Amino acid sequence: MNHRHLLPNEIDLLLDGESGFGVQPLREHVRGCADCRGQLDAATWVASRLSELPLIAPRYGLADRVMGQVPVFVPWHVAARDALTPWIPAARPMRLVAAFGTAMVGALITGGTLWVAARGDLVALVTGLAGEGARTAATDAAGSLVVALFGPQVVTVIQQMGAWGLAAAAVGFAAASLATIVGLRHVATTTRARS
């Protein structure tokens, strides 16, 4: 004899009239246990009362409203397919044209990538020229910004101080900027705390 009471799912098995090798020990337990027999009788009573209730059809659109609030995980490949589906033509000949066009664009991109990769010296030359141009433009822009903010005398002083002077000026500017930010945040939080 089993000395524990039946679990709710085991009572449901008996209530549903299930059959199998695991149900017979449950039936024997109910015959010998008054508590479990009372729970099975109560569940049987509730099930019979529920079956007597009239069937009520839900309002139209209930399932859509409920499912609209349920977060559903959509795998990336399904989301990609759903995003591309409106762009796929309905007619078969147009689908073939679209597939051919997509294959041609893919082949051109692949061929271009392979051509550039095979000519590493050309890529190095172009990126070196672009990098040099970008560095020159950035240096000129930084110099113009410093002149506009602090005047031409500061540039002359920095040039006289050399690389260490430039580093010291940059650190000083960064420290002053950080102190300004911290001060403004402090003012904002104290003003917000008073409100």
Side-chain angles (χ1 to χ4, degrees):
M1 175 65 69
N2 192 356
H3 295 292
R4 68 169 179 84
H5 292 295
L6 295 182
L7 299 173
N9 63 335
E10 294 171 330
I11 291 177
D12 288 343
L13 287 173
L14 295 174
L15 186 65
D16 293 340
E18 293 288 332
S19 60
F21 70 92
V23 178
Q24 187 58 33
L26 301 177
R27 286 191 182 119
E28 291 174 8
H29 176 83
V30 167
R31 279 188 223 120
C33 179
D35 289 339
C36 292
R37 188 172 40 254
Q39 286 185 3
L40 180 61
D41 292 342
T44 305
W45 182 84
V46 169
S48 67
R49 296 300 171 262
L50 286 175
S51 65
E52 295 172 2
L53 289 175
L55 296 177
I56 300 173
R59 290 179 55 187
Y60 178 76
L62 174 69
D64 294 334
R65 287 192 302 275
V66 169
M67 290 308 294
Q69 297 176 5
V70 174
V72 178
F73 171 74
V74 179
W76 68 269
H77 56 88
V78 175
R81 184 198 64 212
D82 292 345
L84 291 176
T85 300
W87 296 91
I88 298 173
R92 181 173 171 79
M94 291 307 293
R95 267 192 255 151
L96 292 174
V97 169
F100 179 73
T102 304
M104 289 305 295
V105 169
L108 286 173
I109 291 173
T110 303
T113 304
L114 291 175
W115 183 80
V116 168
R119 289 171 175 60
D121 55 345
L122 178 64
V123 173
L125 175 67
V126 170
T127 55
L129 289 175
E132 182 66 30
R135 184 172 51 242
T136 303
T139 305
D140 292 344
S144 299
L145 181 65
V146 168
V147 168
L149 291 175
F150 304 112
Q153 298 85 6
V154 173
V155 175
T156 307
V157 170
I158 291 174
Q159 286 175 345
Q160 290 173 352
M161 293 171 63
W164 288 105
L166 180 62
V171 168
F173 182 74
S177 300
L178 183 63
T180 303
I181 291 170
V182 169
L184 288 174
R185 284 188 66 139
H186 178 69
V187 168
T189 54
T190 55
T191 304
R192 196 177 309 144
R194 286 186 208 152
S195 299

